[in-house]
């Protein structure tokens, strides 16, 4: 099957001659200078066609801010006329959103600059004003080094307009000609532009090569870090591979106490076989890994995605994640001349319900774009939907990684302005549609190099980031680690781990562990707990309060509250959960049933646990229960007794409205008389404020 190829960039390469010049000439961001970039095409003489099809090199690529800030041989993200090297003039006319006074016209001509022969501005009466003439073009062409950003500064701001026409003569320069962006501004000083980087990005940053325990003269790419940060999986070419040294296998290593990595080991069969194998994601509990390709029983691989789970016997044979209408329109010719689809790359959200894919489809902007797919009730996945034009460009977007906060996305792009052949960017999801994203921000030159950089991944702690890069490697691509700076760190999360125990025998029980937001009935995440494969683990964003419970037939879940609402940093929390066997005498504290302060009104979200009790009573028609109410010792005794009575009656009435007959529910108010903890602190008093039920008969 087609392997991972992070360096298969066909559209452009940075010219080393230009790299120093651009870093010196464009030190400042143009965003502080009000530039109005073109937002629609009025007319165009002809359009080229990029290798990836789609919108590559079309007139629409000249709209908006520049996609490139370095001279390139060619880019799919700029308009190119169909005519190359001919003597027939080509032109494009664009319009801005609104007319304005113009003091400076900007034209980005990053590819073979010098072909522009005229620039015309149309005023509000559609009268032509030549602001850059043949004579000026000849003077520019005589420069030893032609500035690719043409800045046309007018004598004053008397010209008001919103349309600009750029005329090229392709014969003036050899090779393809392209216009990336056209803008107007009132600035009277030459505009400077720079890559939009994340705020407060450091200028220097140490990227630590993980060393010979992980890296080799071969290729090590696509690191996948377990959420607890203690295991690293990656894809490599190596003499120890099951196939051969030129195919790819999945390897792994574990973190030592000194934060170095152990010597990597081949993960073995059934994950690896004689073909190309690659890992692309992992679940929060570290017990499910997502793999590229669909594994067939005969050892062959097809295009798609699979997953494998860790069991007592090791990793299971990978099962296909069936994605509706999943395909790629970019076939690749293999060495035996068979056409096979290329790889795609994926990242799966912490809740296991959302998958982001990098793949080329019929509606793709050009090369691979980023898409989203959702898990359906039948456990298949919906048809991929584009993340939209804010993220995707006519070039390639790849190597997506969705942080455990479920909102922060890192990816590699060759179409957004950067410092190399492919840079790492960060964007944030703005709502639950998965179609609205913040403008991508470059991680800066301390992270990105003149080469291709990608496969950015972060454990839940958010302390380090891992990535693949060829710069300063031991051979081909290596895996590096860097200390994550606050500007690009995702929102903090907590790792919750522990066992699920029988409340009476205190023995571990295989169950499903569920978290939900405390103030709603909405389920947040769900994991499986198997005592034979270790503790349960789940990742929860901080600054929220949650309910945790375990589910298993024959048991009633004992809900635990977990208040992370004041936590603004990563936390690693151990929390054992209990489930009560359904039998006479079993007593369950309803921790999820909460009331307003000093009142008997239920708080939002309390219904979920009461509905579980309702379901239990429906399953056991002969069951009778005793509902008991308790308070802390704050305040007057009589008022606390009345409050306890009011609350148990409120619970009883809720159950009756759900169809439970009154004679099956007994109540008792104890007030502050039966504490289960001291009343010396608010935390202890909170434990004493409770409603519980006891099974009397079955």
């Amino acid at each position: 099957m087609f392997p991972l190829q992070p360096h298969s960039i066909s559209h452009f390469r940075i010219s080393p001659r230009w790299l120093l010049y651009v870093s010196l000439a464009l030190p400042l961001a143009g965003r502080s200078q009000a530039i109005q970039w073109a937002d629609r095409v009025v007319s165009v003489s002809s359009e080229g066609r990029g290798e990836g099809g789609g919108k590559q090199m079309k007139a629409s690529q000249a709209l908006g801010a520049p996609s490139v800030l370095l001279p390139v041989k060619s880019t799919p993200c700029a308009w190119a006329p169909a005519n190359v090297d001919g003597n027939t003039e080509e032109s494009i006319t664009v319009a801005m959103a609104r007319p304005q006074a113009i003091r400076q016209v900007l034209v980005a001509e990053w590819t073979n600059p010098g072909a522009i022969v005229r620039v015309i501005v149309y005023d509000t009466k559609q009268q032509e004003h030549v602001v850059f003439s043949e004579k000026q073009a000849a003077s520019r062409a005589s420069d030893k080094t032609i500035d690719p950003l043409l800045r046309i500064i007018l004598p004053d701001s008397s010209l008001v307009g919103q349309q600009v026409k750029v005329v090229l003569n392709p014969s003036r320069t050899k090779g393809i000609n392209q216009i990336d962006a056209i803008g107007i501004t009132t600035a009277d000083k030459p505009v400077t532009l720079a890559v939009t980087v994340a705020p407060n990005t450091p200028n220097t940053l140490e990227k630590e090569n993980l060393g010979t325990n992980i890296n080799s003269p071969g290729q090590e790419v696509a690191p996948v870090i377990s959420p607890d940060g203690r295991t690293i999986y990656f894809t490599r070419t190596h003499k120890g591979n099951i196939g051969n040294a030129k195919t790819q296998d999945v390897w792994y290593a574990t973190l030592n106490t000194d934060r170095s990595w152990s010597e990597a080991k081949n993960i073995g069969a059934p994950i690896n076989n004689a073909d190309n194998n690659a890992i692309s994601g992992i679940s929060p509990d570290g017990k499910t890994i997502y793999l590229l390709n669909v594994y067939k029983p005969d050892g062959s691989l097809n295009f798609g995605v699979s997953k494998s789970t860790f069991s007592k016997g090791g990793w299971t044979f990978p099962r296909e994640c069936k994605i509706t209408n999943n395909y790629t329109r970019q076939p690749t010719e293999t060495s035996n001349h068979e056409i096979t689809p290329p790889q795609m790359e994926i990242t799966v959200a912490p809740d296991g319900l959302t998958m982001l894919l990098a793949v080329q489809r019929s509606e793709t902007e050009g090369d691979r774009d980023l898409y989203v797919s959702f898990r359906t009730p039948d456990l298949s996945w919906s048809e991929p939907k584009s993340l939209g034009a804010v993220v995707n460009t006519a070039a390639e977007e790849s190597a997506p990684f969705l942080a455990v906060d479920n909102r922060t996305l890192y990816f590699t792009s060759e179409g957004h302005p950067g410092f190399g052949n492919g840079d790492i960017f960060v964007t944030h999801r703005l709502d639950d549609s998965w179609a609205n994203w913040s403008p991508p921000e470059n991680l800066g030159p301390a992270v990105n190099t003149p080469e291709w950089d990608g496969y950015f991944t972060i454990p839940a702690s958010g302390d380090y980031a891992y990535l693949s890069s060829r710069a300063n490697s031991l051979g081909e691509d290596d895996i590096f680690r860097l200390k994550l700076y606050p500007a690009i760190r995702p929102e903090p999360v907590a790792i919750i781990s522990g066992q699920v125990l029988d409340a009476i025998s205190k023995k571990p029980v295989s169950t499903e562990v569920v978290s939900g937001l405390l103030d709603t009935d909405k389920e947040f995440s769900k994991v499986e707990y198997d005592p034979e494969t270790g503790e349960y683990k789940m990742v929860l964003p901080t600054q929220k309060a949650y309910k945790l419970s375990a589910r298993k037939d024959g048991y009633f879940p004992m809900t635990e509250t977990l208040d992370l609402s004041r936590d603004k940093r990563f936390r690693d929390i151990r929390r054992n959960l209990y489930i009560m066997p359904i039998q006479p005498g079993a007593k369950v504290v309803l921790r999820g049933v909460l009331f307003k302060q000093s009142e008997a009104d239920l708080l939002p979200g309390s219904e979920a646990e009461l509905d579980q009790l309702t379901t239990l009573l429906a399953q056991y028609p002969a069951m009778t229960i005793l509902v008991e109410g308790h308070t802390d010792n704050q305040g007057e005794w009589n008022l606390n007794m009345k409050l306890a009575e009011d609350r148990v009656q409120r619970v009883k009435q809720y159950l009756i409205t759900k169809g439970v007959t009154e004679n099956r529910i007994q109540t008792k108010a104890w007030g502050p008389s039966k504490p289960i903890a001291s009343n010396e602190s608010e935390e202890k008093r909170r434990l004493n404020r409770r409603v519980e039920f006891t099974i009397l008969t079955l």
Side-chain angles (χ1 to χ4, degrees):
M1 194 58 189
F2 195 78
L4 291 172
Q5 286 190 330
H7 295 282
S8 58
I9 303 170
S10 59
H11 294 291
F12 60 89
R13 290 288 189 273
I14 293 173
S15 169
R17 178 175 66 87
W18 277 102
L19 187 57
L20 180 60
Y21 168 78
V22 172
S23 64
L24 293 175
L26 305 177
L28 303 174
R31 69 177 78 91
S32 62
Q33 304 167 25
I35 302 171
Q36 195 178 179
W37 299 104
D39 80 335
R40 62 186 175 90
V41 176
V42 177
S43 64
V44 65
S45 58
S46 67
E47 295 178 307
R49 178 179 174 82
E51 294 178 7
K55 298 178 181 178
Q56 291 185 348
M57 299 187 183
K58 301 302 182 184
S60 60
Q61 297 303 321
L63 303 179
S67 301
V68 179
L69 289 180
L70 294 169
V72 294
K73 292 182 179 179
S74 71
T75 169
C77 299
W79 166 66
N83 182 22
V84 178
D85 294 335
N87 199 31
T88 302
E89 288 187 345
E90 300 274 2
S91 66
I92 182 170
T93 303
V94 297
M96 287 63 186
R98 63 188 182 279
Q100 71 166 71
I102 303 171
R103 187 66 190 275
Q104 188 172 172
V105 179
L106 304 171
V107 184
E109 189 189 16
W110 305 113
T111 305
N112 298 320
I116 298 175
V117 292
R118 286 189 308 284
V119 177
I120 301 167
V121 173
Y122 294 87
D123 63 23
T124 54
K125 296 181 180 180
Q126 288 297 297
Q127 297 297 310
E128 292 187 0
H129 299 264
V130 177
V131 296
F132 185 75
S133 65
E134 291 267 9
K135 183 177 180 180
Q136 291 169 298
S139 175
R140 179 182 183 231
S142 66
D143 292 343
K144 185 175 181 180
T145 301
I146 300 176
D147 189 340
L149 181 60
L150 176 59
R151 305 170 182 87
I152 306 167
I153 300 178
L154 307 185
D156 53 48
S157 300
S158 60
L159 178 57
V160 177
Q162 70 179 120
Q163 289 191 16
V164 178
K165 180 177 183 178
V166 177
V167 182
L168 306 176
N169 186 333
S171 66
R172 292 291 182 92
T173 60
K174 185 173 179 58
I176 190 172
N177 303 114
Q178 292 189 280
I179 300 298
D180 183 21
I182 302 169
I184 55 177
T185 177
T186 57
D188 59 357
K189 298 284 173 50
V191 168
T192 54
L193 302 174
V195 175
T196 300
V197 299
N200 302 315
T201 298
N203 294 323
T204 60
L205 198 67
E206 181 183 356
K207 283 198 292 189
E208 174 192 356
N209 189 300
L210 293 192
T212 55
N213 277 358
I214 302 295
N215 296 314
S216 72
Q219 183 189 67
E220 283 79 29
V221 295
V224 172
I225 308 295
S226 61
D228 63 10
R230 295 169 187 160
T231 306
I232 182 172
Y233 301 88
F234 58 98
T235 301
R236 79 189 312 188
T237 56
H238 192 272
K239 62 183 180 181
N241 286 355
I242 289 179
N244 58 65
K246 293 183 179 180
T247 59
Q248 293 177 327
D249 272 9
V250 177
W251 290 60
Y252 74 98
T254 55
L255 191 67
N256 298 318
T257 55
D258 63 358
R259 298 197 65 83
S260 65
W261 289 98
S262 66
E263 184 175 355
K265 298 179 181 179
N266 190 303
I267 200 171
I271 306 303
N272 292 325
N273 56 31
D275 213 319
N276 287 297
N277 312 111
I279 186 171
S280 203
I282 192 168
S283 63
D285 62 2
K287 296 177 184 178
T288 299
I289 56 176
Y290 295 89
L291 305 158
L292 300 185
N293 305 320
V294 176
Y295 287 65
K296 298 295 184 181
D298 63 2
S300 62
L301 301 175
N302 288 344
F303 173 77
V305 178
S306 298
K307 70 176 182 179
S308 173
T309 56
F310 190 76
S311 64
K312 186 177 180 180
W315 292 104
T316 61
F317 187 85
R319 293 179 289 116
E320 180 182 3
C321 298
K322 295 184 178 180
I323 304 172
T324 302
N325 196 26
N326 187 32
Y327 67 91
T328 174
R329 67 174 177 85
Q330 186 183 359
T332 300
E333 190 172 359
T334 60
S335 58
N336 60 2
H337 303 293
E338 292 181 358
I339 300 298
T340 59
Q343 95 293 347
M344 64 179 172
E345 294 152 340
I346 68 159
T347 180
V348 178
D351 60 9
L353 302 177
T354 307
M355 180 190 299
L356 301 183
L357 311 87
V359 65
Q360 189 180 42
R361 295 169 58 87
S362 60
E363 72 278 12
T364 296
E365 297 284 327
D367 292 325
R368 285 191 295 172
D369 279 356
L370 299 186
Y371 290 80
V372 62
S373 175
F374 304 103
R375 200 175 74 179
T376 58
D378 65 0
L379 302 184
S380 65
W381 295 82
S382 65
E383 182 171 358
K385 176 184 176 183
S386 173
L387 295 193
V390 171
V391 172
N392 293 318
T393 71
E396 179 161 289
E397 277 68 48
S398 61
F401 170 72
L402 186 67
V404 289
D405 66 1
N406 211 27
R407 305 193 75 84
T408 306
L409 172 64
Y410 304 86
F411 65 101
T412 293
S413 176
E414 300 164 27
H416 293 287
F419 299 95
N421 287 343
D423 279 18
I424 303 171
F425 292 79
V426 60
T427 180
H428 301 277
R429 182 164 59 88
L430 301 179
D431 57 29
D432 292 334
S433 71
W434 293 84
N436 294 320
W437 297 84
S438 65
E441 295 174 325
N442 193 292
L443 298 195
V447 174
N448 292 310
T449 71
E451 300 289 343
W452 188 94
D453 301 285
Y455 299 116
F456 200 79
T457 182
I458 305 171
S461 62
D463 52 356
Y464 283 91
Y466 297 80
L467 70 155
S468 296
S469 180
R470 180 162 291 189
N472 302 315
S473 68
L474 303 181
E476 297 185 48
D477 301 88
D478 277 359
I479 297 173
F480 293 80
R481 177 174 66 182
L482 58 87
K483 191 74 174 176
L484 202 61
Y485 51 94
I488 63 170
R489 189 174 290 154
E491 294 297 317
V493 297
I495 293 181
I496 318 300
S497 60
Q499 296 179 300
V500 179
L501 305 173
D502 184 300
I504 295 178
S505 71
K506 301 300 188 288
K507 293 182 178 180
V509 181
S510 297
T511 61
E512 180 181 71
V513 179
V514 180
S515 69
L517 294 174
L518 187 61
D519 56 354
T520 70
D521 292 336
K522 183 179 179 182
E523 183 179 294
F524 188 84
S525 63
K526 181 168 53 180
V527 297
E528 298 293 331
Y529 167 65
D530 182 353
E532 293 186 344
T533 59
E535 299 179 322
Y536 80 86
K537 287 183 182 178
M538 61 172 49
V539 178
L540 300 175
T542 60
Q543 302 179 60
K544 292 182 175 66
Y546 299 91
K547 295 177 290 189
L548 300 178
S549 62
R551 297 173 181 169
K552 187 177 180 67
D553 289 344
Y555 289 83
F556 188 84
M558 300 174 67
T559 299
E560 292 282 334
T561 59
L562 180 65
D563 189 358
L564 304 176
S565 59
R566 297 183 180 180
D567 291 300
K568 296 182 178 180
R569 295 184 178 181
F570 168 75
R571 291 190 62 190
D572 193 344
I573 300 172
R574 283 192 52 80
R575 181 68 61 92
N576 288 340
L577 302 177
Y578 294 87
I579 51 177
M580 181 63 69
I582 298 172
Q583 59 188 41
K587 178 176 288 189
V588 177
V589 178
L590 298 172
R591 293 288 180 199
V593 177
L594 303 173
F595 298 88
K596 291 183 179 179
Q597 183 70 34
S598 302
E599 295 182 21
D601 293 333
L602 291 168
L603 287 175
S606 299
E607 295 84 354
E609 195 163 24
L610 291 177
D611 288 344
Q612 290 178 346
L613 179 54
T614 302
T615 301
L616 177 66
L617 289 164
Q619 291 174 341
Y620 296 87
M623 179 185 289
T624 60
I625 61 172
L626 170 65
V627 179
E628 300 169 274
H630 304 266
T631 67
D632 59 29
N633 67 350
Q634 303 297 292
E636 297 182 15
W637 180 278
N638 290 338
L639 292 178
N640 281 330
M641 290 296 294
K642 183 178 185 308
L643 180 61
E645 177 64 30
D646 289 345
R647 286 179 172 177
V648 295
Q649 290 302 321
R650 178 70 184 87
V651 170
K652 180 177 181 179
Q653 287 304 312
Y654 183 91
L655 297 175
I656 291 173
T657 62
K658 294 293 183 177
V660 182
T661 56
E662 183 176 358
N663 62 358
R664 297 176 63 190
I665 310 168
Q666 298 181 31
T667 62
K668 178 67 177 179
W670 295 101
S673 63
K674 288 193 172 185
I676 57 175
S678 73
N679 283 292
E680 295 175 353
S681 66
E682 173 56 27
E683 184 178 359
K684 297 295 180 62
R685 289 194 292 270
R686 186 182 299 116
L687 295 176
N688 290 328
R689 298 192 295 265
R690 68 197 188 277
V691 171
E692 57 193 18
F693 76 90
T694 302
I695 298 176
L696 299 177
T697 62
L698 281 177

